[in-house]
Amino acid sequence: MIRDAFEALDRLVGGLGTAVLALFAALCWGLVGAACLIGIGLPLLPSMLTLTRLVADKERARLSRWGEPVVSPYPAALPDAGWRTTLRAARRDPATRRDLLWLFIHVPSGLVLGVLGLSLPIMAVRDATFPLYWKLLPTNDMTTGFGIPVSTWSGAIATSLVSLVWLAIVILLGPRMARLQALPGRRLLTPHPSVDLSERLARITATRAGALRAHAAELRRIERSLHDGAQNRLVAVVVLVAAARRALARDPAQAGPALERAQSAAEQGLQELRGVVRGILPPILEDRGLSGALSALASGCAVPCALTVGELGAATLPLSVEATAYFTVAEALTNVSKHSGAQHVRVKVAMYGDTLRIAVEDDGRGGAHEGDGSGLAGIRRRVEAHDGSLKLTSPPNGPTMIEVELPCVS
């Protein structure tokens, strides 16, 4: 129960934060609405819709951390086709109306419940420590949390016992208050049954097709590696061993060099086979985990690399996600070493809820793009195969930032 109370306090404070954002958005709506009365506020309405969507998405993300995920009903950004077209599209969109309704409900309810949830533990601490400082207070402030005057030491000590009442209220009512605060978001911020999800389905279909293409490309890469490398080495071993056998029959002194060449070819073939295996799934992931594997990549990078890995032990990462994260960082560090001319590179990996976030930033020349043969398109295919996202920021003269998000929900 104590743990539930702390979790409820965290949720209430988070709801208070989104309620403050909602209050700001509501005030902006009031100002823009007043401006619309004199005809100058209409072009600002699309910006207000964007602000409302951002605040609602913050609440969706908050609710998703504490229960069933709240999926955004918006398949894409607001259309950039003039404010009249944007307003017509928003007027037909039920999700926009539901966001606005939630906004004006969450302002009072989120603020009141959030402030109340935050004040209860503060009152408990205040009354528990009251005997320590009550003599220092002005006479008018010598009261318990319930407003009862205190003028004696026995009353001050009794006030410390009142803190137990506050704690009981926190434990019993905190989770209920958190659920009540989240109720409008749970009811209004989810996709309406009438929302057309065809575009979202098309995007998922495209993602799955991309995953199949990435899988086929990986199979072709493995086949080429085996055919052009290990297979040729094995053929050479067979030829050299046959030559050694013939040499043993004719001139045994010539058999030794042939066997040495066969052994060398076999060792090279074994090395290439190990390279193919590492390309499929690096053994270091199994041996040292994602954190250790990334540390090995950072230490082996030609450019000084600062690696920061957040706490991953509490999260159960699917092996495919770990492999994708490893190859993403490996490819990004290879690009930095070969193309960027950077002096330093920073890699940050951390869990945020059920999402693994990776950021690789270097101070190189910038100007990177996916069509320059740098392997970024391959990274995107791997990432999107997991319904993840990749964002590349690389202005001329740098810096270059690659941000990847990989959902870890199986």
Side-chain angles (χ1 to χ4, degrees):
M1 294 181 66
I2 300 297
R3 181 178 179 181
D4 292 340
F6 277 107
E7 180 179 302
L9 177 60
D10 193 3
R11 295 167 61 183
L12 287 167
V13 172
L16 177 61
T18 56
V20 171
L21 294 176
L23 176 61
F24 173 76
L27 293 175
C28 291
W29 271 110
L31 294 175
V32 172
C36 289
L37 296 178
I38 56 176
I40 63 174
L42 291 176
L44 298 176
L45 291 178
S47 298
M48 290 307 307
L49 292 174
T50 300
L51 177 61
T52 302
R53 179 181 296 189
L54 289 175
V55 176
D57 284 342
K58 288 288 186 183
E59 179 71 359
R60 290 186 182 96
R62 184 185 77 87
L63 295 176
S64 298
R65 289 196 300 269
W66 298 108
E68 189 71 21
V70 180
V71 180
S72 174
Y74 300 107
L78 288 174
D80 186 13
W83 63 269
R84 290 184 176 86
T85 303
T86 301
L87 291 181
R88 282 195 294 268
R91 190 170 61 249
R92 293 191 299 267
D93 185 8
T96 300
R97 296 193 296 270
R98 290 161 68 88
D99 280 1
L100 289 170
L101 179 59
W102 166 83
L103 185 77
F104 291 99
I105 292 176
H106 188 59
V107 168
S109 64
L111 285 175
V112 171
L113 291 171
V115 170
L116 184 59
L118 186 60
S119 63
L120 287 175
I122 293 176
M123 295 300 296
V125 173
R126 184 255 189 197
D127 283 355
T129 59
F130 189 75
L132 301 178
Y133 61 84
W134 75 283
K135 280 288 188 180
L136 304 176
L137 297 175
T139 304
N140 295 335
D141 293 335
M142 291 182 180
T143 59
T144 68
F146 292 103
I148 302 174
V150 176
S151 58
T152 63
W153 275 104
S154 59
I157 294 173
T159 299
S160 66
L161 300 179
V162 175
S163 63
L164 299 177
V165 178
W166 293 117
L167 289 177
I169 294 175
V170 170
I171 293 173
L172 294 176
L173 297 184
R176 293 179 174 85
M177 291 167 57
R179 288 194 292 271
L180 181 61
Q181 188 190 55
L183 184 61
R186 292 282 178 191
R187 292 287 180 86
L188 296 172
L189 297 184
T190 54
H192 191 271
S194 65
V195 173
D196 182 10
L197 297 179
S198 59
E199 183 176 346
R200 185 179 298 276
L201 179 60
R203 257 177 35 200
I204 294 175
T205 302
T207 299
R208 293 294 179 263
L212 292 175
R213 288 195 299 270
H215 178 67
E218 189 68 12
L219 288 179
R220 287 195 299 271
R221 184 190 66 80
I222 295 172
E223 190 275 333
R224 286 196 303 270
S225 299
L226 292 174
H227 182 272
D228 299 338
Q231 179 176 298
N232 288 342
R233 298 296 181 187
L234 291 176
V235 171
V237 169
V238 172
V239 172
L240 291 171
V241 169
R245 291 182 60 186
R246 290 193 297 270
L248 282 173
R250 297 193 307 268
D251 185 3
Q254 298 296 323
L259 288 174
E260 290 180 0
R261 292 194 298 273
Q263 181 180 357
S264 176
E267 291 173 349
Q268 292 177 5
L270 180 60
Q271 184 176 358
E272 291 178 357
L273 278 175
R274 287 173 176 166
V276 173
V277 171
R278 283 194 296 270
I280 299 173
L281 183 64
I284 193 172
L285 278 176
E286 184 72 22
D287 298 337
R288 298 171 57 182
L290 179 59
S291 181
L294 295 180
S295 297
L297 285 176
S299 61
C301 183
V303 177
C305 179
L307 174 67
T308 303
V309 180
E311 180 59 44
L312 303 177
T316 303
L317 297 181
L319 185 57
S320 60
V321 172
E322 287 191 341
T324 300
Y326 176 86
F327 284 119
T328 296
V329 175
E331 187 66 38
L333 293 182
T334 300
N335 290 342
V336 171
S337 302
K338 289 184 177 180
H339 307 297
S340 71
Q343 300 299 315
H344 299 90
V345 59
R346 292 186 296 274
V347 178
K348 295 182 180 180
V349 180
M351 288 294 300
Y352 291 86
D354 293 324
T355 301
L356 180 68
R357 294 184 182 176
I358 305 167
V360 182
E361 183 180 11
D362 67 73
D363 57 0
R365 65 177 64 95
H369 55 88
E370 296 186 30
D372 59 3
S374 60
L376 292 172
I379 295 178
R380 183 177 293 278
R381 284 195 299 269
R382 283 182 178 271
V383 170
E384 290 182 347
H386 289 277
D387 287 338
S389 62
L390 181 146
K391 179 182 177 182
L392 172 65
T393 305
S394 184
N397 301 320
T400 296
M401 169 77 83
I402 298 175
E403 298 172 277
V404 170
E405 293 190 354
L406 292 170
C408 301
V409 180
S410 57

